[in-house]
Amino acid sequence: AAGGLGVLAGDHTKSASDLAIGFRGISLFYREGYFQQAINNENWQTEYYTLLNPRNLALEPVLGPNGEPLVCSVEIAMSTVYFQAWRVNVGRSPVYLIDSNRPENEQRFRDLTLRVYGGDSTTRIMQEILLGIGGVRLLRALGDEPSVFHMNEGHAAFLVFELVREKMAAGKSFEDALAETKQECIFTTHTPVEAGHDRFSFDLMNYALMKMQSQLNLTSSQLMALGRVIPDNESEPFCMTVLALKGSRFANGVSELHGQVSRHMWHALYPGVPVEQVPIGHITNGIHLLGWMKGPVRRYWRRKLSQDPQNQPGASGDTTRFWHAESKNDWENEINNPEFWKKMADPSFISDEEIWALRYRLRRELVEFTRRRLLLQGSRHFQGDFISYDQLLNVDALTIGFARRFATYKRAPLIFQQFENIVRLVHDRERPIQFVFAGKAHPRDDEGKRFIQHIIHLSKYSELKGSLVFIENYDIHVARQMVSGCDVWLNNPRRPLEASGTSGEKTACHGSLNLSILDGWWREGYDGTNGFAIGDDSNPESIEEQDRIDSANLYKTLTEEVIPTFFNRDKQGIPRQWIQRIRRAMVTLAPVYNTSRMVKEYTTKYYLPTSSRK
């Protein structure tokens, strides 16, 4: 996984560890990883790759009983492909990374685990055989007998075939083996975007899975039917999502709206069932709160708790724990507790002045970080008469952040459709605003790269110079700086294509506010007092109409709500109404939109056997 889904999987694993759930993760070890981004002299994204040496990473080889690397294999086409694995200990939860870079393999098979976005659909189907079939075989070789297999997106769906094959090898019929396998599997779909669902042709399936097909005792047409909405439609390709849905006892989307969209999207799979009864539920995505919290903020909250009279021994006649700054375990246990976040509504616990001082510090740290990064990005970015780096951005301006994958449906340049108006806002000396952008486009997404090029061009050659920046090579470190330092987190996808989105969930604990289309998680999180909404809970069908209306609504919300509230200061220079929204965001969002709540929901709703669930 890469991008948001890879980060989400990591956060899921961390919370599974926190909650002491018997959890294992399986993925691939990409030895060149996800690409590094560099912007060339034409302001165009270029990609370069760096070789990752396992010895320099927090990995350990998975060893067999002889002390040598444990080697397993899968069959791809006419070949046997061997693989080993690396173990990452994410707290108490191990994650196993499959690596096909073995001397026994031909180079093309060794390179299956070279890059995240490698090659064509032939590479992709082979990677998915390694992940799904190889993942099950690795677990068996380790002696693990999971009670449930959670397919996170369709990429792992071939594990259904392997589980069925195991049962047939033990004497069961295909139908019985599939029925039993279905009871062991659950599936989460993460995207309503068609391109996010892998599809393979008849010829490619026939070629790559010939050995599995014979072991399942199926004809080519019968195998294809398992991945088709209409089983006997010979022109329909094999879809991994369809296999995952057919092979699972439960399926879910990742927000309430995405659940609705998914039920419509896959309605044809369930003929005769009303669309609202299509068996796809939802569990809204979250983030690992402590992992995303910037160090100064983590220390700040811990210190506040140590000073809280409610937590002094004997306070209120009880023996409540006294919070020491160093009482790490208590703090980490409480961070997802709604009772802790309820304290943020109480000015006697934390004053407006303290919140505003924290916000100023975090904004200043982002501005300084951005200046350093742009300096490192090279003088080629600011040549001739361009501003010097120490004048870049303004520590007092309303700082708006946008950072994510540059998929076109996320519409990164939407706000600049009102260009002349935005220039006027940026140059308002009384109420200035500024923008920090970051993000990577898929290596083959030229339209997404054009968005990046357009924004960088504006940052260098337009009247926005000095008040708009683009930070290269977006990663977790850049993300943490941005979600903490920005006053406003901008999110304007073309609804309903943002299945959940999680970047905005990382802002609440830092006192930042969301300004977002009512799509994904924000549609559930927004209550009118804890951030800002762009438009209402609907969207026109026409893309052109949607872009026009959303652009107008974005500008309207920015100028009529966001800017006036931020700059409405009292005699002490404090924006009281803005800080009231910060308090509401902390109380209502931080304790809900996290992976602790999410993993508990998966466990009680889906992981436990039917007989155990309440």
Side-chain angles (χ1 to χ4, degrees):
L5 190 52
V7 169
L8 176 72
D11 283 9
H12 189 134
T13 308
K14 290 175 186 175
S15 285
S17 168
D18 294 343
L19 296 165
I21 291 166
F23 184 90
R24 305 279 184 273
I26 304 270
S27 189
L28 302 182
F29 175 68
Y30 298 104
R31 66 181 180 276
E32 288 189 355
Y34 189 45
F35 71 87
Q36 307 291 311
Q37 178 194 54
I39 307 299
N40 68 16
N41 290 329
E42 283 75 50
N43 301 325
W44 189 256
Q45 169 184 299
T46 61
E47 300 86 29
Y48 67 96
Y49 296 85
T50 50
L51 196 62
L52 300 171
N53 184 341
R55 290 178 183 164
N56 299 335
L57 301 171
L59 305 174
E60 55 189 42
V62 176
L63 304 177
N66 58 357
E68 295 293 313
L70 180 67
V71 179
C72 305
S73 65
V74 292
E75 295 76 37
I76 297 176
M78 303 287 287
S79 304
T80 298
V81 177
Y82 297 91
F83 63 88
Q84 62 193 63
W86 304 92
R87 175 180 168 132
V88 186
N89 294 312
V90 183
R92 289 175 280 206
S93 299
V95 173
Y96 297 103
L97 302 176
I98 289 172
D99 183 359
S100 64
N101 186 27
R102 295 277 313 165
E104 306 94 314
N105 293 331
E106 297 172 40
Q107 192 61 44
R108 63 183 177 133
F109 294 133
R110 295 181 72 158
D111 288 348
L112 288 180
T113 53
L114 181 65
R115 296 176 181 173
V116 177
Y117 292 134
D120 52 14
S121 55
T122 304
T123 304
R124 176 57 69 100
I125 196 172
M126 292 178 179
Q127 288 176 327
E128 294 184 351
I129 289 169
L130 259 183
L131 178 66
I133 297 171
V136 175
R137 291 183 183 176
L138 173 65
L139 287 172
R140 300 306 190 216
L142 291 167
D144 276 2
E145 297 291 333
S147 56
V148 62
F149 291 84
H150 184 175
M151 292 177 274
N152 216 4
E153 200 54 284
H155 309 309
F158 286 142
L159 70 82
V160 171
F161 287 166
E162 176 64 7
L163 294 176
V164 170
R165 184 199 65 77
E166 287 180 339
K167 293 172 181 62
M168 290 179 70
K172 292 194 163 61
S173 68
F174 174 80
E175 291 73 18
D176 289 347
L178 181 59
E180 280 187 33
T181 294
K182 194 166 178 168
Q183 292 309 306
E184 291 180 290
C185 295
I186 72 163
F187 169 58
T188 300
T189 177
H190 287 269
T191 179
V193 181
E194 278 296 329
H197 301 275
D198 288 334
R199 290 177 166 85
F200 300 120
S201 69
F202 179 93
D203 289 343
L204 186 52
M205 287 289 292
N206 218 14
Y207 164 74
L209 285 154
M210 57 175 71
K211 184 77 184 289
M212 178 60 73
Q213 181 190 313
S214 70
Q215 289 173 321
L216 296 177
N217 201 20
L218 298 174
T219 65
S220 298
S221 296
Q222 287 171 325
L223 189 78
M224 288 296 290
L226 292 166
R228 286 174 172 160
V229 176
I230 301 167
D232 54 1
N233 176 6
E234 296 200 359
S235 64
E236 185 181 335
F238 185 98
C239 177
M240 296 294 281
T241 303
V242 173
L243 173 62
L245 288 166
K246 288 182 176 181
S248 301
R249 70 176 186 224
F250 294 118
N252 69 285
V254 289
S255 71
E256 184 182 38
L257 182 60
H258 181 228
Q260 291 176 25
V261 169
S262 298
R263 287 190 286 278
H264 281 275
M265 196 170 182
W266 302 107
H267 187 201
L269 258 180
Y270 306 92
V273 175
V275 69
E276 62 276 4
Q277 289 176 28
V278 167
I280 300 176
H282 83 275
I283 291 178
T284 303
N285 282 346
I287 56 120
H288 188 260
L289 205 48
L290 203 61
W292 281 102
M293 198 177 286
K294 198 176 177 192
V297 178
R298 193 187 298 201
R299 291 189 291 274
Y300 184 82
W301 294 135
R302 200 184 295 169
R303 191 166 61 248
K304 285 301 294 179
L305 282 166
S306 73
Q307 297 163 358
D308 182 9
Q310 293 272 316
N311 287 320
Q312 304 293 339
S316 309
D318 64 16
T319 54
T320 309
R321 287 187 302 265
F322 175 56
W323 291 83
H324 290 284
E326 67 272 10
S327 65
K328 183 169 176 281
N329 292 338
D330 284 345
W331 156 249
E332 293 186 359
N333 290 338
E334 288 297 313
I335 192 62
N336 297 303
N337 185 348
E339 294 305 312
F340 164 62
W341 291 103
K342 278 181 188 172
K343 294 175 188 286
M344 302 308 156
D346 181 2
S348 69
F349 175 70
I350 183 167
S351 68
D352 287 357
E353 286 77 6
E354 287 174 291
I355 290 176
W356 194 232
L358 180 65
R359 284 301 317 139
Y360 181 82
R361 175 183 174 175
L362 293 171
R363 188 189 317 116
R364 190 193 71 227
E365 287 180 359
L366 172 64
V367 168
E368 290 172 354
F369 169 79
T370 303
R371 289 170 178 170
R372 288 195 305 273
R373 277 297 285 253
L374 289 179
L375 189 57
L376 288 170
Q377 282 170 209
S379 56
R380 61 193 168 86
H381 285 273
F382 291 97
Q383 295 167 346
D385 64 345
F386 289 165
I387 54 170
S388 57
Y389 296 99
D390 58 358
Q391 294 173 298
L392 195 65
L393 301 179
N394 172 357
V395 293
D396 295 309
L398 170 65
T399 304
I400 299 171
F402 183 104
R404 48 185 55 86
R405 285 189 306 122
F406 262 64
T408 49
Y409 75 85
K410 294 178 187 275
R411 300 186 298 187
L414 186 71
I415 195 162
F416 303 119
Q417 285 186 9
Q418 309 265 349
F419 183 72
E420 295 305 323
N421 289 330
I422 294 299
V423 167
R424 200 163 53 251
L425 296 177
V426 160
H427 291 291
D428 183 333
R429 293 190 172 215
E430 298 299 313
R431 306 195 304 179
I433 68 171
Q434 61 194 9
F435 300 92
V436 181
F437 275 73
K440 295 175 174 178
H442 187 290
R444 290 194 290 277
D445 180 7
D446 280 357
E447 201 53 42
K449 291 184 183 183
R450 263 188 277 278
F451 281 2
I452 291 175
Q453 185 181 42
H454 175 57
I455 288 167
I456 297 176
H457 188 86
L458 293 178
S459 78
K460 290 162 74 169
Y461 304 118
S462 82
E463 294 164 280
L464 297 177
K465 186 174 72 178
S467 299
L468 164 64
V469 296
F470 183 90
I471 300 175
E472 277 180 32
N473 211 21
Y474 181 53
D475 60 10
I476 287 173
H477 177 56
V478 174
R480 192 180 287 107
Q481 302 294 327
M482 289 184 64
V483 295
S484 61
C486 291
D487 299 295
V488 169
W489 195 254
L490 179 61
N491 183 42
N492 43 238
R494 193 174 283 129
R495 175 183 151 130
L497 298 182
E498 190 67 271
S500 176
T502 57
S503 60
E505 297 173 339
K506 296 156 190 165
T507 62
C509 65
H510 297 106
S512 307
L513 295 176
N514 281 275
L515 167 61
S516 176
I517 297 280
L518 289 173
D519 197 7
W521 80 276
W522 185 238
R523 180 175 170 271
E524 299 159 48
Y526 176 66
D527 70 359
T529 70
N530 57 2
F532 304 93
I534 301 167
D536 57 19
D537 188 15
S538 65
N539 57 274
E541 288 299 309
S542 154
I543 284 177
E544 293 74 21
E545 183 71 356
Q546 194 174 349
D547 288 357
R548 186 186 64 77
I549 289 172
D550 289 346
S551 173
N553 282 333
L554 171 50
Y555 183 74
K556 182 170 187 277
T557 307
L558 185 62
T559 53
E560 295 181 9
E561 295 182 54
V562 179
I563 294 173
T565 310
F566 184 81
F567 286 105
N568 178 12
R569 312 286 169 87
D570 66 7
K571 288 177 182 174
Q572 285 78 43
I574 308 289
R576 305 284 175 186
Q577 292 168 296
W578 185 268
I579 290 169
Q580 186 53 34
R581 285 185 187 255
I582 289 175
R583 291 183 188 277
R584 287 289 303 156
M586 288 178 172
V587 170
T588 59
L589 304 177
V592 178
Y593 295 96
N594 59 61
T595 42
S596 179
R597 182 269 313 155
M598 184 189 89
V599 171
K600 284 175 185 171
E601 279 193 54
Y602 274 114
T603 304
T604 54
K605 285 187 178 180
Y606 296 152
Y607 290 170
L608 291 172
T610 310
S611 56
S612 306
R613 286 196 306 276
K614 294 177 183 175

